[in-house]
């Protein structure tokens, strides 16, 4: 548990890409810690979107949670991530995951053992980003004497997303942190972190938790509708609503359960620039007090 969590907002891929620059500028001006992006098929690209957000802000950290590993050769991913990390040092957090298996099937990238692929990918990507020369002959990942000419100048934070116990243990073992799926209750987060700790042993891992967030005069009804949209039980504790004080107080439940970064996820219909301003200027100071 951390008493001073980092606070972020999601720029959902349902928002048009041309709105991202303005949202990043607004988040930066409001002092928001982090802006998080998704890479969902077939919406905006995670790496290109991160480059836009980073280049239109001065201090904002940008997270991608998560990149589906079947979509990219690991060497290509290393090149892209290293480019961002060198151009914007200390401001990039990259999450990796299995991807939605149905979507991976649509693009001919579904694998028989997603766990094996994620393990091989994390091992090799981490080594490449450390500047190592890598030879690896795995089931899915194969590299022969590969090294980056422009590796990052400082360590890059590589997280991994997971839902099931095996994947959560793997994130604890090989990633620097875990991205917890949206819709996870505080009690569900505690359970998930037990699996992460099984993999991490004595090592400390970052924990990023997404939670639904609505504000305004119809906030409670909007939160219920949003939970139903994501096929969640609206009676479960999956989000926060209300004014800044109520949202901050509610988000503290996930911090107390073990999250050191809480990422507030708006509905697809909000004014995203206004939302990031509100969270950065009004909610974040209360949550970090």
């Amino acid at each position: 548990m951390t008493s001073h969590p980092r606070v972020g907002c999601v720029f959902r891929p349902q928002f048009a890409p041309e709105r991202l620059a303005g949202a990043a500028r607004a988040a930066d001006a409001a002092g928001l810690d982090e802006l998080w992006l998704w890479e969902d098929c077939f919406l905006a690209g995670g790496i290109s979107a991160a480059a836009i957000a980073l280049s239109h802000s001065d201090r904002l950290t940008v997270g991608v949670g998560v990149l589906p590993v079947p979509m990219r050769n690991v060497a290509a991913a290393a090149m892209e991530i290293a480019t961002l990390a060198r151009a914007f040092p200390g401001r990039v957090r990259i999450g990796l995951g299995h991807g939605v298996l149905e979507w991976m099937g649509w693009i001919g990238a579904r694998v028989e053992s997603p766990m094996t692929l994620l393990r091989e990918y994390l091992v090799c990507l981490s080594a490449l980003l450390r500047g190592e020369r890598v030879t690896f002959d795995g089931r899915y990942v194969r590299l022969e004497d590969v090294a980056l000419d422009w590796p990052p100048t400082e360590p890059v934070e590589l997280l991994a997303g997971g839902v099931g116990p095996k994947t959560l243990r793997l994130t604890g073992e090989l990633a620097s942190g875990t991205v917890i799926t949206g819709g996870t209750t505080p009690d569900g987060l505690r359970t998930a972190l037990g699996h992460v700790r099984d993999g991490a042993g004595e090592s400390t891992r970052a924990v990023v938790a997404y939670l639904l967030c609505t504000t305004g005069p119809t906030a409670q009804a909007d939160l219920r509708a949003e939970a139903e949209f994501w096929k969640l039980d609206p009676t479960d504790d999956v989000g926060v609503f209300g004014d800044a004080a109520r949202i901050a107080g509610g988000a503290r439940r996930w911090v107390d359960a073990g999250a050191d970064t809480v990422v507030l996820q708006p509905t697809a219909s909000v004014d995203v620039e206004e939302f990031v301003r509100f969270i950065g200027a009004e909610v974040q100071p209360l949550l970090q007090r």
Side-chain angles (χ1 to χ4, degrees), residues 211-228 234 236 238-248 265-267 269-270 275 278-279 283:
L211 38 152
L212 307 181
C213 179
T214 57
T215 189
T218 60
Q220 186 170 10
D222 291 344
L223 181 64
R224 183 180 183 88
E226 189 69 4
E228 291 173 345
D236 283 346
V238 295
V240 290
F241 70 91
D243 60 13
R246 187 164 184 175
I247 289 171
Q265 177 182 318
T267 68
S269 62
V270 301
F275 184 80
F278 167 67
I279 300 300
V283 176

Side-chain angles (χ1 to χ4, degrees), residues 165-166 168-174 190-203 205:
K166 291 182 180 179
L168 289 167
R169 283 194 293 272
L170 182 64
T171 72
E173 179 187 351
L174 294 179
R190 292 183 179 93
T191 299
L193 293 186
H195 299 303
V196 173
R197 285 190 291 271
D198 287 343
E202 298 300 317
S203 300
R205 296 289 182 256

Side-chain angles (χ1 to χ4, degrees), residues 72-85:
R72 282 184 185 80
N73 179 279
V74 70
M79 292 164 60
E80 299 282 12
I81 295 166
T83 299
L84 290 179

Side-chain angles (χ1 to χ4, degrees), residues 122-143:
L122 282 166
V123 167
C124 291
L125 182 58
S126 298
L128 289 169
L129 292 175
R130 289 194 298 267
E132 298 175 13
R133 186 168 295 278
V134 181
T135 296
F136 189 90
D137 186 17
R139 181 174 177 181
Y140 300 110
V141 177
R142 296 178 179 85
L143 299 171

Side-chain angles (χ1 to χ4, degrees), residues 8-226:
C9 293
V10 181
F11 182 89
R12 292 175 52 159
Q14 290 80 15
F15 301 138
E18 58 267 27
R19 298 175 67 185
L20 179 53
R25 286 191 291 265
D28 208 44
L32 185 69
D33 289 331
E34 302 187 356
L35 189 68
W36 280 78
L37 309 166
W38 300 344
E39 185 168 76
D40 283 356
C41 295
F42 298 93
L43 296 161
I47 296 293
S48 54
I52 293 169
L54 289 161
S55 63
H56 286 84
S57 56
D58 295 320
R59 45 154 300 282
L60 185 69
T61 293
V62 175
V64 184
V66 295
L67 298 175
V69 299
M71 291 183 67
R72 282 184 185 80
N73 179 279
V74 70
M79 292 164 60
E80 299 282 12
I81 295 166
T83 299
L84 290 179
R86 287 187 70 104
F88 305 98
R91 295 177 53 201
V92 180
R93 306 181 78 184
I94 299 293
L96 306 167
H98 297 309
V100 177
L101 298 185
E102 183 181 17
W103 295 348
M104 298 303 100
W106 291 348
I107 62 173
R110 184 166 180 167
V111 298
E112 185 176 344
S113 177
M115 284 289 294
T116 301
L117 171 58
L118 186 57
R119 173 176 290 279
E120 294 178 355
Y121 207 99
L122 282 166
V123 167
C124 291
L125 182 58
S126 298
L128 289 169
L129 292 175
R130 289 194 298 267
E132 298 175 13
R133 186 168 295 278
V134 181
T135 296
F136 189 90
D137 186 17
R139 181 174 177 181
Y140 300 110
V141 177
R142 296 178 179 85
L143 299 171
E144 184 176 344
D145 198 31
V146 175
L148 297 176
D149 282 7
W150 295 103
T153 55
E154 58 184 67
V156 177
E157 191 172 9
L158 282 183
L159 305 101
V163 178
K166 291 182 180 179
T167 304
L168 289 167
R169 283 194 293 272
L170 182 64
T171 72
E173 179 187 351
L174 294 179
S176 61
T178 303
V179 180
I180 302 295
T181 186
T184 301
T185 67
D187 285 343
L189 175 57
R190 292 183 179 93
T191 299
L193 293 186
H195 299 303
V196 173
R197 285 190 291 271
D198 287 343
E202 298 300 317
S203 300
T204 301
R205 296 289 182 256
V207 180
V208 178
Y210 288 101
L211 38 152
L212 307 181
C213 179
T214 57
T215 189
T218 60
Q220 186 170 10
D222 291 344
L223 181 64
R224 183 180 183 88
E226 189 69 4

